[in-house]
Amino acid sequence: MRVGILALQGAFVEHAAMLDRLGVDHFEIRQRRDLDVPFDALILPGGESTTMGKLLRDLDLFEPLQTSILQGLPVFGTCAGLILLAREVEGGIPCFGTMDICARRNAYGRQLGSFHTEQPFDGLGSIPMTFIRAPYIRSAGPDVRILARVDGRIVAARQDNMLATAFHPELTESLAVHRYFLDMALSLAA
Ligand code: GLN
């Protein structure tokens, strides 16, 4: 399996480190020609969703990536990456808009901008979750499976080939969510 990591901005190196630990081949997506060699899955990292959205368009990456996602490319968005996937964004502008969720941006306000917790994730037991100026999922359509909540708010969900977490599993020791994503990608390919 070969995983492309969007590397325009933000926390992409940390995702690469997780995939290294899992022994999975990966590469950075920085420009259009990086998409020339086929790949099996995509990671949209945390960072600043407005900046990433603008760079995606400026670099002509928006259309090919959106088309691939719509055609079923497995994609995992963390934090800003979740916002890029959301159909609706409160406090921001939708980007790919492929996932039937409404994301509320910077949802935890100033004081609670960053925090760490351990909470149950569907099928994985309790896992560490690091939140940094994170969104949460305010509402989700009927095809979206809710995978985790913190204080009643949805922080992880899946719809078909799309996985999104409001937190950063790549900033924790746990490989569980990355493993979950790779299993999901493998089962979609089967
Ligand atoms: N607050 C950022 C945004 O709205 C997301 C923060 C993150 O990815 N850690 O884009």
Side-chain angles (χ1 to χ4, degrees):
M1 159 137 27
R2 187 164 180 265
V3 180
I5 305 174
L6 188 68
L8 304 179
Q9 192 265 337
F12 53 89
V13 172
E14 291 81 355
H15 281 288
M18 298 304 260
L19 295 180
D20 282 339
R21 283 173 62 196
L22 289 163
V24 173
D25 189 18
H26 58 83
F27 69 102
E28 291 181 354
I29 300 173
R30 292 176 181 271
Q31 50 193 325
R32 177 82 189 228
R33 72 161 181 263
D34 295 331
L35 305 179
D36 287 350
V37 179
F39 56 104
D40 308 295
L42 170 67
I43 291 181
L44 305 173
E48 219 288 322
S49 52
T50 314
T51 307
M52 271 196 265
K54 186 177 182 312
L55 289 171
L56 279 164
R57 289 185 186 276
D58 290 351
L59 297 165
D60 287 333
L61 287 165
F62 174 79
E63 281 198 359
L65 289 179
Q66 186 189 46
T67 302
S68 297
I69 295 168
L70 287 170
Q71 288 174 348
L73 179 72
V75 56
F76 175 22
T78 57
C79 201
L82 175 155
I83 296 169
L84 296 181
L85 289 172
R87 185 175 54 76
E88 202 183 322
V89 180
E90 270 183 21
I93 313 153
C95 181
F96 293 124
T98 48
M99 191 167 177
D100 193 11
I101 54 174
C102 171
R104 176 155 176 201
R105 226 178 135 219
N106 296 330
Y108 293 95
R110 270 193 150 186
Q111 284 174 343
L112 283 175
S114 301
F115 63 98
H116 183 83
T117 184
E118 293 220 359
Q119 298 288 328
F121 186 106
D122 189 61
L124 300 181
S126 197
I127 59 158
M129 301 178 180
T130 295
F131 292 81
I132 302 172
R133 301 279 298 150
Y136 64 76
I137 298 174
R138 201 181 174 95
S139 58
D143 297 333
V144 178
R145 178 157 156 199
I146 299 191
L147 302 174
R149 292 180 195 262
V150 169
D151 296 334
R153 291 168 168 171
I154 306 167
V155 297
R158 176 184 173 179
Q159 179 184 357
D160 304 321
N161 55 318
M162 295 170 279
L163 174 68
T165 64
F167 57 92
H168 292 265
E170 78 284 5
L171 299 182
T172 73
E173 276 304 298
S174 170
L175 293 168
V177 183
H178 286 76
R179 222 179 253 131
Y180 180 98
F181 174 58
L182 296 169
D183 285 348
M184 172 181 142
L186 283 173
S187 67
L188 287 165

mmCIF file of all heavy atoms in Angstrom, residues 61-111:
data_model
loop_
_atom_site.group_PDB
_atom_site.id
_atom_site.type_symbol
_atom_site.label_atom_id
_atom_site.label_comp_id
_atom_site.label_asym_id
_atom_site.label_seq_id
_atom_site.Cartn_x
_atom_site.Cartn_y
_atom_site.Cartn_z
ATOM 1 N N LEU A 61 -4.292 21.246 -7.119
ATOM 2 C CA LEU A 61 -4.457 19.928 -6.502
ATOM 3 C C LEU A 61 -5.908 19.671 -6.118
ATOM 4 O O LEU A 61 -6.308 18.531 -5.888
ATOM 5 C CB LEU A 61 -3.590 19.842 -5.234
ATOM 6 C CG LEU A 61 -2.086 19.713 -5.480
ATOM 7 C CD1 LEU A 61 -1.316 20.002 -4.201
ATOM 8 C CD2 LEU A 61 -1.760 18.322 -5.999
ATOM 9 N N PHE A 62 -6.678 20.733 -6.025
ATOM 10 C CA PHE A 62 -8.047 20.597 -5.521
ATOM 11 C C PHE A 62 -8.876 19.619 -6.368
ATOM 12 O O PHE A 62 -9.433 18.648 -5.845
ATOM 13 C CB PHE A 62 -8.739 21.964 -5.461
ATOM 14 C CG PHE A 62 -10.183 21.867 -5.082
ATOM 15 C CD1 PHE A 62 -10.552 21.700 -3.767
ATOM 16 C CD2 PHE A 62 -11.176 21.885 -6.055
ATOM 17 C CE1 PHE A 62 -11.891 21.571 -3.415
ATOM 18 C CE2 PHE A 62 -12.517 21.758 -5.708
ATOM 19 C CZ PHE A 62 -12.869 21.600 -4.388
ATOM 20 N N GLU A 63 -8.936 19.866 -7.659
ATOM 21 C CA GLU A 63 -9.831 19.052 -8.502
ATOM 22 C C GLU A 63 -9.445 17.593 -8.568
ATOM 23 O O GLU A 63 -10.294 16.716 -8.368
ATOM 24 C CB GLU A 63 -9.943 19.665 -9.890
ATOM 25 C CG GLU A 63 -10.894 20.829 -9.854
ATOM 26 C CD GLU A 63 -11.409 21.221 -11.219
ATOM 27 O OE1 GLU A 63 -11.013 20.595 -12.206
ATOM 28 O OE2 GLU A 63 -12.211 22.155 -11.267
ATOM 29 N N PRO A 64 -8.169 17.294 -8.858
ATOM 30 C CA PRO A 64 -7.837 15.858 -8.921
ATOM 31 C C PRO A 64 -8.059 15.134 -7.598
ATOM 32 O O PRO A 64 -8.531 13.989 -7.585
ATOM 33 C CB PRO A 64 -6.357 15.826 -9.329
ATOM 34 C CG PRO A 64 -5.858 17.212 -9.195
ATOM 35 C CD PRO A 64 -7.034 18.136 -9.255
ATOM 36 N N LEU A 65 -7.759 15.803 -6.490
ATOM 37 C CA LEU A 65 -7.954 15.118 -5.203
ATOM 38 C C LEU A 65 -9.437 14.964 -4.891
ATOM 39 O O LEU A 65 -9.882 13.902 -4.439
ATOM 40 C CB LEU A 65 -7.235 15.872 -4.073
ATOM 41 C CG LEU A 65 -5.705 15.785 -4.105
ATOM 42 C CD1 LEU A 65 -5.099 16.591 -2.971
ATOM 43 C CD2 LEU A 65 -5.220 14.332 -4.037
ATOM 44 N N GLN A 66 -10.224 15.994 -5.161
ATOM 45 C CA GLN A 66 -11.662 15.881 -4.900
ATOM 46 C C GLN A 66 -12.271 14.756 -5.753
ATOM 47 O O GLN A 66 -13.073 13.956 -5.271
ATOM 48 C CB GLN A 66 -12.370 17.200 -5.188
ATOM 49 C CG GLN A 66 -13.838 17.157 -4.782
ATOM 50 C CD GLN A 66 -14.611 18.365 -5.265
ATOM 51 O OE1 GLN A 66 -14.486 18.761 -6.415
ATOM 52 N NE2 GLN A 66 -15.399 18.942 -4.377
ATOM 53 N N THR A 67 -11.855 14.696 -7.024
ATOM 54 C CA THR A 67 -12.366 13.636 -7.905
ATOM 55 C C THR A 67 -11.983 12.266 -7.361
ATOM 56 O O THR A 67 -12.818 11.351 -7.306
ATOM 57 C CB THR A 67 -11.799 13.832 -9.335
ATOM 58 O OG1 THR A 67 -12.181 15.125 -9.773
ATOM 59 C CG2 THR A 67 -12.319 12.791 -10.298
ATOM 60 N N SER A 68 -10.740 12.119 -6.951
ATOM 61 C CA SER A 68 -10.306 10.815 -6.416
ATOM 62 C C SER A 68 -11.104 10.428 -5.178
ATOM 63 O O SER A 68 -11.501 9.271 -5.016
ATOM 64 C CB SER A 68 -8.819 10.845 -6.055
ATOM 65 O OG SER A 68 -8.062 11.073 -7.193
ATOM 66 N N ILE A 69 -11.355 11.403 -4.300
ATOM 67 C CA ILE A 69 -12.127 11.103 -3.080
ATOM 68 C C ILE A 69 -13.546 10.684 -3.470
ATOM 69 O O ILE A 69 -14.081 9.689 -2.965
ATOM 70 C CB ILE A 69 -12.149 12.319 -2.126
ATOM 71 C CG1 ILE A 69 -10.744 12.622 -1.612
ATOM 72 C CG2 ILE A 69 -13.103 12.064 -0.956
ATOM 73 C CD1 ILE A 69 -10.611 13.972 -0.891
ATOM 74 N N LEU A 70 -14.137 11.417 -4.413
ATOM 75 C CA LEU A 70 -15.507 11.083 -4.846
ATOM 76 C C LEU A 70 -15.555 9.713 -5.518
ATOM 77 O O LEU A 70 -16.572 9.026 -5.481
ATOM 78 C CB LEU A 70 -16.032 12.160 -5.801
ATOM 79 C CG LEU A 70 -16.391 13.490 -5.138
ATOM 80 C CD1 LEU A 70 -16.659 14.558 -6.188
ATOM 81 C CD2 LEU A 70 -17.599 13.336 -4.213
ATOM 82 N N GLN A 71 -14.426 9.322 -6.109
ATOM 83 C CA GLN A 71 -14.384 8.012 -6.772
ATOM 84 C C GLN A 71 -14.024 6.887 -5.802
ATOM 85 O O GLN A 71 -13.903 5.742 -6.210
ATOM 86 C CB GLN A 71 -13.394 8.043 -7.937
ATOM 87 C CG GLN A 71 -13.929 8.861 -9.110
ATOM 88 C CD GLN A 71 -12.915 9.045 -10.224
ATOM 89 O OE1 GLN A 71 -11.730 8.752 -10.046
ATOM 90 N NE2 GLN A 71 -13.370 9.538 -11.360
ATOM 91 N N GLY A 72 -13.806 7.242 -4.529
ATOM 92 C CA GLY A 72 -13.628 6.189 -3.527
ATOM 93 C C GLY A 72 -12.240 6.057 -2.937
ATOM 94 O O GLY A 72 -11.990 5.126 -2.164
ATOM 95 N N LEU A 73 -11.320 6.975 -3.267
ATOM 96 C CA LEU A 73 -9.988 6.901 -2.646
ATOM 97 C C LEU A 73 -10.136 6.999 -1.127
ATOM 98 O O LEU A 73 -10.743 7.952 -0.627
ATOM 99 C CB LEU A 73 -9.115 8.062 -3.151
ATOM 100 C CG LEU A 73 -7.702 8.140 -2.565
ATOM 101 C CD1 LEU A 73 -6.818 7.029 -3.120
ATOM 102 C CD2 LEU A 73 -7.072 9.505 -2.851
ATOM 103 N N PRO A 74 -9.598 6.045 -0.378
ATOM 104 C CA PRO A 74 -9.682 6.141 1.089
ATOM 105 C C PRO A 74 -8.937 7.385 1.585
ATOM 106 O O PRO A 74 -7.800 7.631 1.176
ATOM 107 C CB PRO A 74 -8.991 4.859 1.580
ATOM 108 C CG PRO A 74 -9.074 3.918 0.422
ATOM 109 C CD PRO A 74 -8.983 4.777 -0.801
ATOM 110 N N VAL A 75 -9.587 8.158 2.420
ATOM 111 C CA VAL A 75 -8.988 9.408 2.893
ATOM 112 C C VAL A 75 -9.209 9.549 4.394
ATOM 113 O O VAL A 75 -10.260 9.186 4.912
ATOM 114 C CB VAL A 75 -9.551 10.623 2.100
ATOM 115 C CG1 VAL A 75 -11.061 10.707 2.160
ATOM 116 C CG2 VAL A 75 -8.951 11.934 2.577
ATOM 117 N N PHE A 76 -8.174 10.056 5.061
ATOM 118 C CA PHE A 76 -8.212 10.256 6.506
ATOM 119 C C PHE A 76 -7.854 11.720 6.770
ATOM 120 O O PHE A 76 -6.739 12.150 6.472
ATOM 121 C CB PHE A 76 -7.200 9.298 7.155
ATOM 122 C CG PHE A 76 -7.019 9.447 8.642
ATOM 123 C CD1 PHE A 76 -7.986 10.029 9.448
ATOM 124 C CD2 PHE A 76 -5.868 8.959 9.251
ATOM 125 C CE1 PHE A 76 -7.807 10.147 10.820
ATOM 126 C CE2 PHE A 76 -5.676 9.069 10.620
ATOM 127 C CZ PHE A 76 -6.647 9.669 11.402
ATOM 128 N N GLY A 77 -8.796 12.473 7.321
ATOM 129 C CA GLY A 77 -8.556 13.870 7.646
ATOM 130 C C GLY A 77 -8.484 14.061 9.145
ATOM 131 O O GLY A 77 -9.389 13.642 9.870
ATOM 132 N N THR A 78 -7.402 14.689 9.619
ATOM 133 C CA THR A 78 -7.297 14.984 11.046
ATOM 134 C C THR A 78 -7.400 16.495 11.238
ATOM 135 O O THR A 78 -6.691 17.255 10.589
ATOM 136 C CB THR A 78 -5.948 14.507 11.632
ATOM 137 O OG1 THR A 78 -4.869 15.093 10.920
ATOM 138 C CG2 THR A 78 -5.813 13.002 11.550
ATOM 139 N N CYS A 79 -8.271 16.891 12.134
ATOM 140 C CA CYS A 79 -8.405 18.288 12.552
ATOM 141 C C CYS A 79 -8.673 19.198 11.353
ATOM 142 O O CYS A 79 -9.769 19.136 10.803
ATOM 143 C CB CYS A 79 -7.168 18.692 13.359
ATOM 144 S SG CYS A 79 -7.477 20.108 14.407
ATOM 145 N N ALA A 80 -7.715 19.995 10.898
ATOM 146 C CA ALA A 80 -7.972 20.805 9.700
ATOM 147 C C ALA A 80 -8.375 19.905 8.530
ATOM 148 O O ALA A 80 -9.191 20.290 7.683
ATOM 149 C CB ALA A 80 -6.743 21.623 9.333
ATOM 150 N N GLY A 81 -7.832 18.692 8.492
ATOM 151 C CA GLY A 81 -8.188 17.736 7.428
ATOM 152 C C GLY A 81 -9.662 17.344 7.482
ATOM 153 O O GLY A 81 -10.302 17.127 6.448
ATOM 154 N N LEU A 82 -10.207 17.274 8.699
ATOM 155 C CA LEU A 82 -11.651 17.023 8.865
ATOM 156 C C LEU A 82 -12.440 18.181 8.254
ATOM 157 O O LEU A 82 -13.429 17.973 7.552
ATOM 158 C CB LEU A 82 -11.961 16.856 10.357
ATOM 159 C CG LEU A 82 -13.415 16.707 10.824
ATOM 160 C CD1 LEU A 82 -13.464 15.954 12.158
ATOM 161 C CD2 LEU A 82 -14.175 18.013 10.955
ATOM 162 N N ILE A 83 -11.966 19.396 8.503
ATOM 163 C CA ILE A 83 -12.661 20.578 7.972
ATOM 164 C C ILE A 83 -12.628 20.556 6.439
ATOM 165 O O ILE A 83 -13.624 20.884 5.786
ATOM 166 C CB ILE A 83 -12.020 21.868 8.533
ATOM 167 C CG1 ILE A 83 -12.204 21.928 10.056
ATOM 168 C CG2 ILE A 83 -12.610 23.115 7.869
ATOM 169 C CD1 ILE A 83 -11.402 22.996 10.757
ATOM 170 N N LEU A 84 -11.504 20.141 5.866
ATOM 171 C CA LEU A 84 -11.401 20.078 4.393
ATOM 172 C C LEU A 84 -12.434 19.115 3.810
ATOM 173 O O LEU A 84 -12.932 19.321 2.709
ATOM 174 C CB LEU A 84 -9.999 19.640 3.960
ATOM 175 C CG LEU A 84 -8.843 20.574 4.315
ATOM 176 C CD1 LEU A 84 -7.522 20.001 3.780
ATOM 177 C CD2 LEU A 84 -9.047 21.971 3.740
ATOM 178 N N LEU A 85 -12.766 18.071 4.560
ATOM 179 C CA LEU A 85 -13.713 17.063 4.044
ATOM 180 C C LEU A 85 -15.171 17.480 4.226
ATOM 181 O O LEU A 85 -16.045 17.007 3.497
ATOM 182 C CB LEU A 85 -13.496 15.723 4.757
ATOM 183 C CG LEU A 85 -12.203 14.967 4.414
ATOM 184 C CD1 LEU A 85 -12.044 13.759 5.338
ATOM 185 C CD2 LEU A 85 -12.198 14.532 2.954
ATOM 186 N N ALA A 86 -15.432 18.355 5.190
ATOM 187 C CA ALA A 86 -16.818 18.616 5.601
ATOM 188 C C ALA A 86 -17.633 19.317 4.515
ATOM 189 O O ALA A 86 -17.147 20.216 3.834
ATOM 190 C CB ALA A 86 -16.815 19.480 6.863
ATOM 191 N N ARG A 87 -18.887 18.891 4.414
ATOM 192 C CA ARG A 87 -19.817 19.509 3.454
ATOM 193 C C ARG A 87 -20.188 20.924 3.881
ATOM 194 O O ARG A 87 -20.421 21.791 3.073
ATOM 195 C CB ARG A 87 -21.079 18.634 3.370
ATOM 196 C CG ARG A 87 -22.089 19.085 2.333
ATOM 197 C CD ARG A 87 -23.247 18.105 2.219
ATOM 198 N NE ARG A 87 -23.890 17.829 3.486
ATOM 199 C CZ ARG A 87 -24.722 18.660 4.108
ATOM 200 N NH1 ARG A 87 -25.039 19.812 3.583
ATOM 201 N NH2 ARG A 87 -25.267 18.318 5.262
ATOM 202 N N GLU A 88 -20.227 21.106 5.192
ATOM 203 C CA GLU A 88 -20.591 22.419 5.725
ATOM 204 C C GLU A 88 -19.596 22.784 6.822
ATOM 205 O O GLU A 88 -19.212 21.903 7.615
ATOM 206 C CB GLU A 88 -22.009 22.320 6.311
ATOM 207 C CG GLU A 88 -22.740 23.611 6.435
ATOM 208 C CD GLU A 88 -24.104 23.408 7.090
ATOM 209 O OE1 GLU A 88 -24.766 22.379 6.812
ATOM 210 O OE2 GLU A 88 -24.482 24.269 7.884
ATOM 211 N N VAL A 89 -19.186 24.053 6.870
ATOM 212 C CA VAL A 89 -18.209 24.486 7.873
ATOM 213 C C VAL A 89 -18.727 25.746 8.561
ATOM 214 O O VAL A 89 -18.912 26.773 7.920
ATOM 215 C CB VAL A 89 -16.833 24.787 7.220
ATOM 216 C CG1 VAL A 89 -15.833 25.237 8.282
ATOM 217 C CG2 VAL A 89 -16.302 23.569 6.472
ATOM 218 N N GLU A 90 -18.927 25.625 9.857
ATOM 219 C CA GLU A 90 -19.328 26.819 10.621
ATOM 220 C C GLU A 90 -18.073 27.587 10.976
ATOM 221 O O GLU A 90 -17.158 27.039 11.588
ATOM 222 C CB GLU A 90 -20.008 26.390 11.927
ATOM 223 C CG GLU A 90 -21.477 26.234 11.785
ATOM 224 C CD GLU A 90 -22.121 25.884 13.119
ATOM 225 O OE1 GLU A 90 -21.553 26.125 14.196
ATOM 226 O OE2 GLU A 90 -23.221 25.328 13.057
ATOM 227 N N GLY A 91 -18.015 28.841 10.596
ATOM 228 C CA GLY A 91 -16.828 29.655 10.891
ATOM 229 C C GLY A 91 -15.739 29.475 9.847
ATOM 230 O O GLY A 91 -14.582 29.825 10.102
ATOM 231 N N GLY A 92 -16.079 28.929 8.714
ATOM 232 C CA GLY A 92 -15.073 28.744 7.673
ATOM 233 C C GLY A 92 -15.731 28.410 6.347
ATOM 234 O O GLY A 92 -16.958 28.453 6.222
ATOM 235 N N ILE A 93 -14.896 28.060 5.384
ATOM 236 C CA ILE A 93 -15.408 27.803 4.033
ATOM 237 C C ILE A 93 -15.198 26.325 3.710
ATOM 238 O O ILE A 93 -14.109 25.804 3.923
ATOM 239 C CB ILE A 93 -14.628 28.636 2.994
ATOM 240 C CG1 ILE A 93 -14.504 30.088 3.457
ATOM 241 C CG2 ILE A 93 -15.249 28.539 1.612
ATOM 242 C CD1 ILE A 93 -13.286 30.780 2.888
ATOM 243 N N PRO A 94 -16.221 25.654 3.178
ATOM 244 C CA PRO A 94 -16.015 24.251 2.800
ATOM 245 C C PRO A 94 -14.950 24.125 1.709
ATOM 246 O O PRO A 94 -14.784 25.044 0.898
ATOM 247 C CB PRO A 94 -17.375 23.809 2.266
ATOM 248 C CG PRO A 94 -18.343 24.811 2.742
ATOM 249 C CD PRO A 94 -17.591 26.097 2.919
ATOM 250 N N CYS A 95 -14.252 23.009 1.716
ATOM 251 C CA CYS A 95 -13.224 22.783 0.688
ATOM 252 C C CYS A 95 -13.676 21.616 -0.187
ATOM 253 O O CYS A 95 -14.446 21.797 -1.113
ATOM 254 C CB CYS A 95 -11.875 22.553 1.351
ATOM 255 S SG CYS A 95 -10.542 22.283 0.187
ATOM 256 N N PHE A 96 -13.265 20.393 0.114
ATOM 257 C CA PHE A 96 -13.696 19.261 -0.725
ATOM 258 C C PHE A 96 -15.204 19.016 -0.584
ATOM 259 O O PHE A 96 -15.869 18.660 -1.549
ATOM 260 C CB PHE A 96 -12.932 17.993 -0.360
ATOM 261 C CG PHE A 96 -11.467 18.075 -0.689
ATOM 262 C CD1 PHE A 96 -10.504 17.867 0.291
ATOM 263 C CD2 PHE A 96 -11.048 18.369 -1.978
ATOM 264 C CE1 PHE A 96 -9.149 17.952 -0.011
ATOM 265 C CE2 PHE A 96 -9.693 18.463 -2.292
ATOM 266 C CZ PHE A 96 -8.744 18.248 -1.292
ATOM 267 N N GLY A 97 -15.721 19.174 0.622
ATOM 268 C CA GLY A 97 -17.162 19.055 0.827
ATOM 269 C C GLY A 97 -17.724 17.684 0.514
ATOM 270 O O GLY A 97 -18.909 17.552 0.191
ATOM 271 N N THR A 98 -16.905 16.661 0.629
ATOM 272 C CA THR A 98 -17.323 15.315 0.222
ATOM 273 C C THR A 98 -18.009 14.524 1.339
ATOM 274 O O THR A 98 -18.653 13.520 1.067
ATOM 275 C CB THR A 98 -16.093 14.510 -0.256
ATOM 276 O OG1 THR A 98 -15.063 14.680 0.716
ATOM 277 C CG2 THR A 98 -15.602 15.008 -1.607
ATOM 278 N N MET A 99 -17.834 14.956 2.578
ATOM 279 C CA MET A 99 -18.358 14.176 3.703
ATOM 280 C C MET A 99 -19.571 14.889 4.288
ATOM 281 O O MET A 99 -19.547 16.104 4.508
ATOM 282 C CB MET A 99 -17.258 13.998 4.758
ATOM 283 C CG MET A 99 -17.570 13.005 5.831
ATOM 284 S SD MET A 99 -16.065 12.599 6.776
ATOM 285 C CE MET A 99 -16.755 11.505 8.001
ATOM 286 N N ASP A 100 -20.611 14.112 4.560
ATOM 287 C CA ASP A 100 -21.886 14.688 4.971
ATOM 288 C C ASP A 100 -21.879 15.045 6.464
ATOM 289 O O ASP A 100 -22.611 14.468 7.276
ATOM 290 C CB ASP A 100 -23.005 13.695 4.647
ATOM 291 C CG ASP A 100 -24.379 14.344 4.761
ATOM 292 O OD1 ASP A 100 -24.444 15.587 4.887
ATOM 293 O OD2 ASP A 100 -25.368 13.597 4.740
ATOM 294 N N ILE A 101 -20.981 15.979 6.788
ATOM 295 C CA ILE A 101 -20.896 16.448 8.173
ATOM 296 C C ILE A 101 -20.859 17.979 8.163
ATOM 297 O O ILE A 101 -20.413 18.588 7.199
ATOM 298 C CB ILE A 101 -19.631 15.921 8.906
ATOM 299 C CG1 ILE A 101 -18.349 16.258 8.113
ATOM 300 C CG2 ILE A 101 -19.726 14.432 9.171
ATOM 301 C CD1 ILE A 101 -17.047 15.905 8.839
ATOM 302 N N CYS A 102 -21.317 18.541 9.275
ATOM 303 C CA CYS A 102 -21.135 19.974 9.486
ATOM 304 C C CYS A 102 -20.067 20.118 10.564
ATOM 305 O O CYS A 102 -20.227 19.615 11.678
ATOM 306 C CB CYS A 102 -22.443 20.618 9.938
ATOM 307 S SG CYS A 102 -22.210 22.323 10.473
ATOM 308 N N ALA A 103 -18.954 20.753 10.218
ATOM 309 C CA ALA A 103 -17.854 20.939 11.164
ATOM 310 C C ALA A 103 -17.936 22.336 11.747
ATOM 311 O O ALA A 103 -18.153 23.308 11.024
ATOM 312 C CB ALA A 103 -16.521 20.756 10.454
ATOM 313 N N ARG A 104 -17.772 22.405 13.043
ATOM 314 C CA ARG A 104 -17.679 23.721 13.664
ATOM 315 C C ARG A 104 -16.206 23.993 13.934
ATOM 316 O O ARG A 104 -15.554 23.270 14.690
ATOM 317 C CB ARG A 104 -18.488 23.745 14.953
ATOM 318 C CG ARG A 104 -18.333 25.037 15.633
ATOM 319 C CD ARG A 104 -19.498 25.357 16.517
ATOM 320 N NE ARG A 104 -19.202 26.595 17.212
ATOM 321 C CZ ARG A 104 -19.777 26.961 18.325
ATOM 322 N NH1 ARG A 104 -20.689 26.212 18.861
ATOM 323 N NH2 ARG A 104 -19.446 28.078 18.901
ATOM 324 N N ARG A 105 -15.689 25.027 13.319
ATOM 325 C CA ARG A 105 -14.262 25.333 13.386
ATOM 326 C C ARG A 105 -13.896 25.985 14.719
ATOM 327 O O ARG A 105 -14.692 26.714 15.278
ATOM 328 C CB ARG A 105 -13.948 26.317 12.262
ATOM 329 C CG ARG A 105 -12.742 25.949 11.507
ATOM 330 C CD ARG A 105 -12.496 26.911 10.385
ATOM 331 N NE ARG A 105 -11.107 27.232 10.405
ATOM 332 C CZ ARG A 105 -10.618 28.435 10.171
ATOM 333 N NH1 ARG A 105 -11.405 29.420 9.870
ATOM 334 N NH2 ARG A 105 -9.333 28.622 10.226
ATOM 335 N N ASN A 106 -12.676 25.748 15.166
ATOM 336 C CA ASN A 106 -12.170 26.345 16.410
ATOM 337 C C ASN A 106 -13.231 26.265 17.507
ATOM 338 O O ASN A 106 -13.522 27.236 18.203
ATOM 339 C CB ASN A 106 -11.756 27.805 16.169
ATOM 340 C CG ASN A 106 -10.602 27.880 15.194
ATOM 341 O OD1 ASN A 106 -9.784 26.973 15.109
ATOM 342 N ND2 ASN A 106 -10.532 28.954 14.438
ATOM 343 N N ALA A 107 -13.766 25.064 17.654
ATOM 344 C CA ALA A 107 -14.994 24.903 18.416
ATOM 345 C C ALA A 107 -14.780 24.959 19.919
ATOM 346 O O ALA A 107 -15.743 25.106 20.665
ATOM 347 C CB ALA A 107 -15.620 23.565 18.046
ATOM 348 N N TYR A 108 -13.559 24.833 20.348
ATOM 349 C CA TYR A 108 -13.341 24.753 21.789
ATOM 350 C C TYR A 108 -12.921 26.079 22.408
ATOM 351 O O TYR A 108 -12.538 26.126 23.561
ATOM 352 C CB TYR A 108 -12.327 23.641 22.107
ATOM 353 C CG TYR A 108 -12.893 22.279 21.781
ATOM 354 C CD1 TYR A 108 -12.633 21.677 20.561
ATOM 355 C CD2 TYR A 108 -13.726 21.625 22.676
ATOM 356 C CE1 TYR A 108 -13.175 20.441 20.246
ATOM 357 C CE2 TYR A 108 -14.282 20.393 22.374
ATOM 358 C CZ TYR A 108 -13.997 19.811 21.161
ATOM 359 O OH TYR A 108 -14.532 18.600 20.857
ATOM 360 N N GLY A 109 -12.966 27.138 21.615
ATOM 361 C CA GLY A 109 -12.710 28.456 22.171
ATOM 362 C C GLY A 109 -11.267 28.630 22.602
ATOM 363 O O GLY A 109 -10.438 27.752 22.410
ATOM 364 N N ARG A 110 -10.963 29.726 23.207
ATOM 365 C CA ARG A 110 -9.569 30.054 23.508
ATOM 366 C C ARG A 110 -8.998 29.239 24.652
ATOM 367 O O ARG A 110 -7.947 28.643 24.551
ATOM 368 C CB ARG A 110 -9.476 31.525 23.858
ATOM 369 C CG ARG A 110 -9.234 32.349 22.623
ATOM 370 C CD ARG A 110 -8.845 33.704 23.014
ATOM 371 N NE ARG A 110 -7.968 34.295 22.040
ATOM 372 C CZ ARG A 110 -7.393 35.453 22.222
ATOM 373 N NH1 ARG A 110 -7.556 36.091 23.356
ATOM 374 N NH2 ARG A 110 -6.612 35.962 21.309
ATOM 375 N N GLN A 111 -9.753 29.236 25.762
ATOM 376 C CA GLN A 111 -9.186 28.604 26.944
ATOM 377 C C GLN A 111 -8.985 27.108 26.773
ATOM 378 O O GLN A 111 -8.014 26.546 27.250
ATOM 379 C CB GLN A 111 -10.097 28.852 28.133
ATOM 380 C CG GLN A 111 -9.944 30.265 28.641
ATOM 381 C CD GLN A 111 -10.925 30.582 29.724
ATOM 382 O OE1 GLN A 111 -11.919 29.871 29.876
ATOM 383 N NE2 GLN A 111 -10.667 31.615 30.462
#
